[in-house]
Amino acid sequence: MEILILFLPLIASIISGFFGRYIGDRNSEIFTSALVSISALLSINVLYHVIVNQYEENIIIATWINSGSLNVNWSMLIDPLSAVMLVVVTSVSSLVHIYSIGYMSQDPHKPRFMAYLSLFTFAMLMLVTSDNFIQLFFGWEGVGLCSYFLIGFWFKKESANAAAIKAFIVNRIGDFGFALGIFLIFYLFGTVNYSEVFQQIPTIIDKDLSFLSFEVKAIDLICLLLFIGAMGKSAQILLHTWLPDAMEGPTPVSALIHAATMVTAGVFLVVRCSPIYEYSPLILNLITIIGMTTAFFAATVALVQTDIKKIIAYSTCSQLGYMFFAAGVGAYNVAMFHLFTHAFFKALLFLGSGSVIHAFKDEQNINNMGGVWKKLPYTYALMIIGTLALTGFPFLSGFYSKDAIIEFAYLRGNTTGYYAAGIGIITAFLTSIYSWRLIFKTFHGDYNNKEIKIEETHESPIVMLIPLFVLSIGAVFAGFLFKGLFIGHGDNFFWAESIKFLEPLSTEHPPTWFLLLTPCLVLLSIPIAYYFFVKNKDLPKTIASTNRPLYNFLVNKWYFDELYEILFIKSSKKFGLFLWKFCDGTIIDGFGPDGISSFIKKCSLKASKLQSGFIYQYAFIMLLGFSALLTFLIVK
Amino acid sequence: MNFPILTSLILLPTIGALFLFFTKDREGNNLTAKYVALFTSVVNFLISIYLWILFDQSTSIFQFIEDRTWIEGFINYKVGVDGISILFIILTTFITPLCIISVNNSIKNRLRDFLIAILIMESFMIGVFCALDLVVFYLFFEAGLIPMFLIIGIWGGTRRVYSAFKFFLYTLLGSVLMLVAIISIYWITGTTDVVRLYEIGIDVKYQNLLWLAFFSSFAVKTPMWPVHTWLPDAHVEAPTAGSVLLAAILLKMAGYGFIRFSLGLFPIASELFTPLIYALSVIAIIFTSFIALMQEDMKKLIAYSSVAHMGFVTLGIFTLQQQGIEGSIIQMISHGLVSAALFLTVGVVYDRMHSRLISTYGGLVSIIPKYSILFMVFALASLGLPGTSGFIGEFLILMGAFKDNFLVAVIASLGVILGAAYMLWLYKRVVFGKIINEDLKKIVDLNRSEYFILSCLAAPILFFGFYPDPLINTIEVSVTDLINMHSTNLAKK
């Protein structure tokens, strides 16, 4: 039965992809949505069993690669960690499938779109249920591929194609690190299966490796390499540039792949490998630093963006940063908790923004919106719920998970921990500001769109609103309901063996003022945002114009794209051209075949000049030679 | 003695070619000739599959051995297969019929002669992969050049003569040294029988020179950097079927030679020269990937990517790890399928538009969707996506390399990023985007035979990506024994 969870989406994808033309658009939509929904129900059932009966199993489906000592199976590992991921992936995926029926109703390639979505779901499930690193890698690249397909779904748009390739290549850079991590694991342990690797970790703690005459601790190197992979997939700073561009894809894709599931794979990887990371405090600190830098960086950029989806994309980037710094301070379960709640409210926000874009007929610039909250009452209400949950408004889901992250960072008790907690609070405040900016600019104030009359904007069809509604339930209650289970302490620890802590997490509480700080800032931010973006709209402009360099810096996303363009893209092209024209052309061919043949040609031309055809010349030469020989013999 | 199955595999295509030789050549689409050639090659393919079924995977001893005296006391005609060679034989017999089907549109004149060349080449290739005598190997190895030279020279593009000569000069130069080496081996040991040579070994003091002589021949054929520049030219000028044979099979002869002869006969020299191979392989992977990135001609791009992929192969062979060598063999099989498929996909649009330039195309997906899907599969296999055979090969090679040398594995892994870059960029420029060239709107999607050929190639690429066991099981024992033999030889020193 568990295997069905994996294969129903695959079957859906194959049927819709290959036979979509025959069974029709509507049937493929219904078929894929139904199969993925069944898969979601089965997953919920599995999670229930895991919670109640401590059910765990490792199902071997088939062998995959058996080469020497390398044995890799197609497998399905069910433990608390993968069960939670199963539910997140399949439930968000099924809602997105249903939502797409409405959102893509005007698109001519519906079966193809549904097939990609289902295929993505399959790949993501392969990723989370793997019992070894190579199947994980399979899923890892598989989701990357589907993401590539879906970002470039509107293949006529040049920008969509460019974004798709960018996403794939940047992810490949991460995968490069990840693959090296797997090689290193295989080199050290002779196996790539989680359980065997994790067992052997304590034996190599003190092992050093030398690389280019550097001495590195083996465990640090493994953790670093795996983390590079995680950075690529989860869009952490330096490898984040693909995520905002990925918004070129249809909005349901952004909700599923670039908010709820794929981008959290990096966090999942770190949590899954907690038995390794626990032994590497150095890299854990690095993760904290990268995580909080990303959280802060992305929040600052989100403050000034005008594209509704890009704002939410940077927000995702920022929230992923939170998850990483939770993992970095050793609170893996809190990271998972935030991953879980984030999936709901971020998917809700994305789908909600899709509903807005739909209403404005593909307008995405928030400066061209405004004042439509009465026209889109349901979307408006649901977006508000999503925003409240994201900003951590008391008693909604984000409140429990995000505040827990900040608390645990504080409780870590070292410099990085305090620093991270501080940045976490500032970022929470920024998050709140940019989220409310989005809401106010989109729904309040004056109507600013010149192309469509306000009367033409309309609420989305019911098929799009139902998934939003279901997600909003999650966004409201997921935190409250699952808090005890995910991050509570007690006798039967939910995560069991799937997350490892060397030392148990601190059970103390931070001081009360600290606990109250974030919620207060969050509450305070609403009137501030209202004042800035509705009441006194000139103020942000004035601030922007008086701080022009800072504003440009933020609008241009800290100039990462421009930097990479110069550093990598242009120089690669120049290097390629140089190697081709100069090395291959001038040097190798010039001194090689072309050079030799022209040299021989020259020689033979010279030689042919000797053969003039005049007897007296030949006779003269013969005479010369003869006398030279004679002289030589006589002198000798 | 049993039925000489290997000899019949070698001879059958030649018999078919002889038969064709006596038919009358007609102008235009000579169907009779095509059917004869197709029939011969399909029968040959079936025989080779039968051979695979009969083949005993549990031993590394050569099987189906035939041993006949050719020149008394000097050369024996000796053939046989083990786990390593049998896969290459099947690859050859699998690709050839597909090539014959594909000549539909591309070859306009002297179709009969073209088919004869292909069939004779098939004979020689199979001969290379089952020869167990150095002289026999050499003869087949070199004879394979001649039909290829003719295919490029007669049916090639505008610069065909230049390319054909470049190809011929490069490869011949290397082979002359190999011939000298083979003669010296005979003088040193008194035999050219490979199985005997494995047993008695070759004196250490001769190994280095002999290794270099063999290397010079194999390096050119692989092709390794810096003797690779003949390949892009040859590919660009060759007709589609010629490119397919060249990329899919001819290039594999050298990889096979490295495993069979360089490792098997000269273990100590191989150990000594491993750094050289590593350096050249890594340079090939990185440099040619960068070059591929900048190509404007589709065939040239794929040719350069072939050099990079073969760089992985040579790297894997000399890691002398189980994963490395098995990865190399799988990579060769996979590259045989993938590069064949890519050249055929380029051939499909070339037949319609008569241009290989990337800039001619764009937006194909909305005109010829079936084609675009299959092209995608091959592009993904080429960049080594998990779930395709390309991944298994590359991943195993890098895994093996990592065990042996960190630095090399790290640099070579960078090639995986570059591979994704040039392949996806190519795909994007050809298939996605808006249709700029109005002429494109008139072209039609794959016809039945093209669809059939490309699906035949896509199926094993995907199948072995998910389930490579049939391949790995076939080679496992032979590779293990090769490594064991190598390490005992090293220990003896």
Side-chain angles (χ1 to χ4, degrees), chain A residues 527-539:
Chain A
I528 294 179
Y530 186 74
Y531 179 73
F532 267 74
F533 301 113
V534 182
K535 270 288 184 206
N536 198 345
K537 279 202 271 193
D538 295 331
L539 196 57

Side-chain angles (χ1 to χ4, degrees), chain B residues 65-189:
Chain B
I65 289 190
E66 294 163 41
D67 197 350
R68 288 192 186 79
T69 310
W70 183 1
I71 301 173
E72 191 64 44
F74 178 39
I75 310 166
N76 283 0
Y77 167 79
K78 184 170 184 181
V79 289
V81 289
D82 68 347
I84 298 169
S85 45
I86 191 164
L87 289 181
F88 292 101
I89 293 176
I90 293 168
L91 180 70
T92 312
T93 57
F94 177 67
I95 296 289
T96 312
L98 295 181
C99 271
I100 292 173
I101 305 175
S102 80
V103 294
N104 247 352
N105 309 311
S106 43
I107 305 297
K108 294 274 185 270
N109 61 335
R110 299 174 70 184
L111 179 65
R112 185 195 65 156
D113 299 350
F114 187 76
L115 294 171
I116 291 176
I118 288 188
L119 284 177
I120 291 194
M121 195 142 93
E122 183 181 13
S123 281
F124 291 150
M125 302 295 161
I126 298 174
V128 166
F129 295 125
C130 49
L132 285 182
D133 187 284
L134 285 174
V135 179
V136 177
F137 171 79
Y138 180 78
L139 289 178
F140 282 128
F141 193 75
E142 292 313 313
L145 279 182
I146 300 164
M148 197 64 226
F149 176 69
L150 293 177
I151 287 177
I152 298 174
I154 298 176
W155 291 278
T158 40
R159 290 180 74 217
R160 56 178 182 262
V161 177
Y162 170 77
S163 299
F165 272 100
K166 201 171 179 185
F167 165 72
F168 201 75
L169 281 180
Y170 253 125
T171 46
L172 201 67
L173 202 71
S175 341
V176 170
L177 291 172
M178 186 163 79
L179 181 64
V180 174
I182 290 174
I183 295 170
S184 353
I185 289 177
Y186 180 73
W187 286 118
I188 295 164
T189 61

Side-chain angles (χ1 to χ4, degrees), chain B residues 20-45:
Chain B
L20 276 183
F21 189 70
F22 290 114
T23 60
K24 226 175 92 190
D25 194 6
R26 276 184 285 130
E27 286 300 308
N29 202 358
N30 189 340
L31 277 180
T32 333
K34 248 190 96 172
Y35 285 138
V36 171
L38 190 59
F39 179 75
T40 323
S41 57
V42 168
V43 170
N44 224 26
F45 174 62

Side-chain angles (χ1 to χ4, degrees), chain A residues 463-593:
Chain A
V463 71
M464 285 166 71
L465 290 176
I466 288 177
L468 284 177
F469 184 70
V470 176
L471 284 172
S472 73
I473 294 176
V476 176
F477 297 108
F480 173 70
L481 288 177
F482 288 92
K483 179 177 194 282
L485 190 69
F486 277 45
I487 57 171
H489 1 257
D491 297 335
N492 46 359
F493 181 59
F494 167 66
W495 298 104
E497 298 295 310
S498 61
I499 295 181
K500 183 175 171 122
F501 299 100
L502 272 189
E503 301 153 17
L505 278 180
S506 168
T507 51
E508 294 165 27
H509 286 286
T512 324
W513 65 266
F514 186 81
L515 284 179
L516 288 176
L517 192 57
T518 326
C520 288
L521 280 175
V522 166
L523 288 177
L524 200 64
S525 68
I526 303 176
I528 294 179
Y530 186 74
Y531 179 73
F532 267 74
F533 301 113
V534 182
K535 270 288 184 206
N536 198 345
K537 279 202 271 193
D538 295 331
L539 196 57
K541 280 181 199 149
T542 333
I543 295 175
S545 55
T546 46
N547 298 295
R548 192 47 66 178
L550 178 67
Y551 178 75
N552 282 341
F553 183 63
L554 293 182
V555 166
N556 289 305
K557 309 145 198 166
W558 292 28
Y559 293 105
F560 271 107
D561 281 327
E562 287 75 6
L563 187 69
Y564 286 177
E565 173 80 28
I566 296 168
L567 272 184
F568 300 115
I569 301 171
K570 280 199 181 137
S571 54
S572 300
K573 286 184 177 173
K574 271 197 193 135
F575 188 53
L577 219 52
F578 165 76
L579 286 174
W580 177 27
K581 296 287 185 198
F582 185 72
C583 285
D584 269 22
T586 314
I587 305 235
I588 296 176
D589 275 356
F591 289 97

Side-chain angles (χ1 to χ4, degrees), chain B residues 113-298:
Chain B
D113 299 350
F114 187 76
L115 294 171
I116 291 176
I118 288 188
L119 284 177
I120 291 194
M121 195 142 93
E122 183 181 13
S123 281
F124 291 150
M125 302 295 161
I126 298 174
V128 166
F129 295 125
C130 49
L132 285 182
D133 187 284
L134 285 174
V135 179
V136 177
F137 171 79
Y138 180 78
L139 289 178
F140 282 128
F141 193 75
E142 292 313 313
L145 279 182
I146 300 164
M148 197 64 226
F149 176 69
L150 293 177
I151 287 177
I152 298 174
I154 298 176
W155 291 278
T158 40
R159 290 180 74 217
R160 56 178 182 262
V161 177
Y162 170 77
S163 299
F165 272 100
K166 201 171 179 185
F167 165 72
F168 201 75
L169 281 180
Y170 253 125
T171 46
L172 201 67
L173 202 71
S175 341
V176 170
L177 291 172
M178 186 163 79
L179 181 64
V180 174
I182 290 174
I183 295 170
S184 353
I185 289 177
Y186 180 73
W187 286 118
I188 295 164
T189 61
T191 180
T192 51
D193 180 336
V194 177
V195 185
R196 280 280 297 144
L197 285 170
Y198 278 174
E199 283 160 13
I200 56 179
I202 292 170
D203 200 332
V204 185
K205 62 185 174 199
Y206 302 115
Q207 279 196 13
N208 290 353
L209 275 178
L210 291 175
W211 188 93
L212 282 173
F214 273 81
F215 168 74
S216 65
S217 172
F218 293 152
V220 169
K221 280 247 169 82
T222 307
M224 293 178 80
W225 191 88
V227 284
H228 65 281
T229 55
W230 62 271
L231 187 74
D233 283 317
H235 269 310
V236 165
E237 296 308 321
T240 304
S243 285
V244 171
L245 285 178
L246 181 60
I249 307 164
L250 235 71
L251 300 189
K252 308 301 174 292
M253 299 196 306
Y256 172 77
F258 273 127
I259 299 177
R260 176 72 76 230
F261 303 109
S262 297
L263 287 189
L265 296 177
F266 321 117
I268 293 158
S270 296
E271 195 72 10
L272 178 72
F273 287 113
T274 299
L276 172 73
I277 295 274
Y278 278 179
L280 294 183
S281 305
V282 166
I283 291 176
I285 294 170
I286 300 300
F287 278 19
T288 48
S289 296
F290 272 112
I291 296 177
L293 203 59
M294 294 315 293
Q295 295 306 308
E296 289 134 16
D297 180 316
M298 291 197 264

Side-chain angles (χ1 to χ4, degrees), chain B residues 420-458:
Chain B
Y422 64 70
M423 223 51 224
L424 289 182
W425 199 33
L426 166 75
Y427 190 80
K428 181 201 121 181
R429 284 178 294 169
V430 173
V431 174
F432 289 142
K434 286 200 190 75
I435 306 162
I436 298 164
N437 188 343
E438 285 298 316
D439 296 341
L440 282 175
K441 287 190 177 154
K442 280 179 273 176
I443 68 176
V444 286
D445 209 342
L446 299 175
N447 62 31
R448 275 215 334 255
S449 68
E450 288 163 342
Y451 194 53
F452 174 76
I453 298 170
L454 294 180
S455 319
C456 276
L457 288 166

